[in-house]
Amino acid sequence: MGWFWGDWGAKPPEKAKTDPLSKLDPELRDFLRRESRAKADSQILPSATQGEQPAYTEKSWGKAIEKVEESSFQQENAVPPESLYQDGRYAHLWKNYQPLGAVEATSKSDQDKLSDILEGYNTRKAHIGRAALENCALEHSAVSECFRNGGWGSRLTMCRAENKKLERCYVMQARFLKALGYLSNYDRPEEVDEQIQMHADTLYQRMLEQEAAVEAAKSAGTNPPEYPPLVDSPYMGSPASAQNKMLTPSQRSQLRHRFKGLNKQESELEEIAILAEMEEAANTGRQVSEIYQEEERLRKERLAEGKETLSDRAKRYFRS
């Protein structure tokens, strides 16, 4: 009967202000301590099993219960990052929320997934060209300025020097983007590809500085400095590397023939870019194969359950 009537005269007023459990009935207070002891130990006293056990007071247990209640309240009122109110407001409206990408992924058919994979693979080259032009904005601006305000000599040669710089910048930026894996994975955030694009521009500027240092050393009659490769790639290395596994001897000889007019850095970068494209094509083929295998598995399950559709019969007929 103590739970209903209570014993309110046992606690002094000063303790009632500091202890949140002082106004509770003694039996109810003991029950709460027993029930919340293990949870409170795991949250505020993780090191209690090591060394001497601390002395538990009513104040510490009150704080422990408050922390447990606060953490459970935060879990119940958790909202996704899309919400403008991260303090838990309108959590009941966000309870069954799913991002648009997840909803579209669940509603796509196998044909839609194949179309997305092939479309992404085919449009990657166009995106790489656009990103390379963005990195060569200064060179493109120099060509435009030459045609507008250039001298007669530059106009008569159609701004050959500026166009040559722009063409080399575009080609090298595209090679850096391919070698670094730009847009090679369509599931990662856009920020990753933006960082790759900026890093490609950084490597291109570093390459120009290294070439200028080598030319200055040759002009001074000293030994040119040696630099490490600009791009660390798993394809370049020992004979047992992925480079020799992906290319046949005839393909490697054809590549060497294509690299005759390039310097050492350009040839290495071109080879890494080609091998990266080959690996991306292989990954795309594996993704397409996985979709076909999943479709075949579901078709066999429907056939075993007696739920074969008309399209399943047509595919089975043509494959047989």
Side-chain angles (χ1 to χ4, degrees):
M1 296 299 292
W3 284 26
F4 295 96
W5 308 109
D7 187 8
W8 306 107
K11 299 293 181 181
E14 292 79 4
K15 193 171 184 179
K17 295 180 180 179
T18 58
D19 187 6
L21 304 179
S22 59
K23 295 183 179 181
L24 297 177
D25 185 84
E27 296 180 5
L28 177 59
R29 187 165 58 247
D30 295 338
F31 173 77
L32 291 176
R33 288 176 183 173
R34 289 193 304 269
E35 293 296 326
S36 63
R37 183 183 184 107
K39 188 177 291 187
D41 286 343
S42 61
Q43 292 200 4
I44 67 169
L45 298 171
S47 62
T49 58
Q50 302 175 359
E52 184 180 356
Q53 297 289 338
Y56 302 122
T57 61
E58 294 183 356
K59 185 176 181 180
S60 63
W61 283 113
K63 291 182 179 180
I65 295 174
E66 290 179 357
K67 287 187 177 182
V68 172
E69 293 177 352
E70 183 179 358
S71 62
S72 61
F73 177 79
Q74 291 177 356
Q75 292 177 357
E76 293 176 358
N77 295 274
V79 294
E82 289 80 4
S83 175
L84 297 178
Y85 304 98
Q86 294 296 319
D87 56 355
R89 282 182 286 177
Y90 311 111
H92 62 287
L93 300 177
W94 293 92
K95 185 177 181 180
N96 299 324
Y97 170 77
Q98 290 183 350
L100 179 61
V103 175
E104 292 179 349
T106 55
S107 60
K108 283 183 179 179
S109 62
D110 294 336
Q111 188 64 33
D112 294 335
K113 295 178 181 178
L114 287 173
S115 300
D116 292 342
I117 293 174
L118 297 178
E119 182 181 0
Y121 177 77
N122 294 328
T123 57
R124 178 174 179 262
K125 185 178 294 185
H127 289 303
I128 288 177
R130 188 180 299 111
L133 282 178
E134 290 179 359
N135 288 350
C136 298
L138 295 179
E139 288 78 5
H140 190 274
S141 177
V143 173
S144 301
E145 183 66 21
C146 175
F147 279 109
R148 286 197 303 264
N149 303 320
W152 285 105
S154 299
R155 293 185 181 183
L156 288 175
T157 58
M158 299 298 292
C159 299
R160 183 182 302 172
E162 289 77 6
N163 276 308
K164 190 175 181 180
K165 290 182 180 179
L166 175 60
E167 181 181 358
R168 186 168 188 266
C169 176
Y170 176 80
V171 172
M172 295 305 298
Q173 292 278 2
R175 289 173 181 169
F176 277 118
L177 290 170
K178 292 177 183 178
L180 294 174
Y182 182 75
L183 293 179
S184 60
N185 190 350
Y186 303 101
D187 296 332
R188 63 190 179 194
E190 296 181 359
E191 292 78 8
V192 178
D193 292 318
E194 292 177 358
Q195 293 176 1
I196 292 176
Q197 181 179 354
M198 292 186 292
H199 187 55
D201 189 33
T202 303
L203 293 179
Y204 176 71
Q205 300 301 328
R206 188 182 304 170
M207 185 192 71
L208 295 180
E209 294 176 358
Q210 293 179 2
E211 291 178 352
V214 171
E215 292 296 331
K218 290 181 179 179
S219 301
T222 59
N223 294 328
E226 295 290 338
Y227 297 102
L230 293 172
V231 179
D232 295 331
S233 175
Y235 308 122
M236 308 299 296
S238 61
S241 63
Q243 179 185 17
N244 293 310
K245 294 180 180 179
M246 296 177 63
L247 295 179
T248 62
S250 60
Q251 290 175 335
R252 291 184 60 79
S253 62
Q254 293 177 4
L255 290 178
R256 297 300 180 188
H257 181 71
R258 289 175 55 182
F259 299 154
K260 281 186 178 179
L262 305 178
N263 56 32
K264 182 179 178 181
Q265 286 185 341
E266 291 178 349
S267 62
E268 289 180 354
L269 186 60
E270 178 67 14
E271 188 170 0
I272 294 174
I274 292 174
L275 293 172
E277 287 184 341
M278 294 177 62
E279 184 180 10
E280 184 194 356
N283 291 333
T284 303
R286 283 193 292 268
Q287 292 178 0
V288 173
S289 177
E290 290 175 358
I291 292 177
Y292 279 125
Q293 291 176 2
E294 181 66 18
E295 181 183 2
E296 182 69 15
R297 186 185 64 82
L298 295 176
R299 188 183 66 81
K300 290 181 178 180
E301 288 182 357
R302 289 193 295 268
L303 178 62
E305 295 174 357
K307 299 179 181 179
E308 188 179 21
T309 61
L310 183 60
S311 61
D312 294 340
R313 293 181 181 178
K315 291 180 181 179
R316 185 161 53 87
Y317 174 77
F318 285 109
R319 290 182 180 180
S320 60

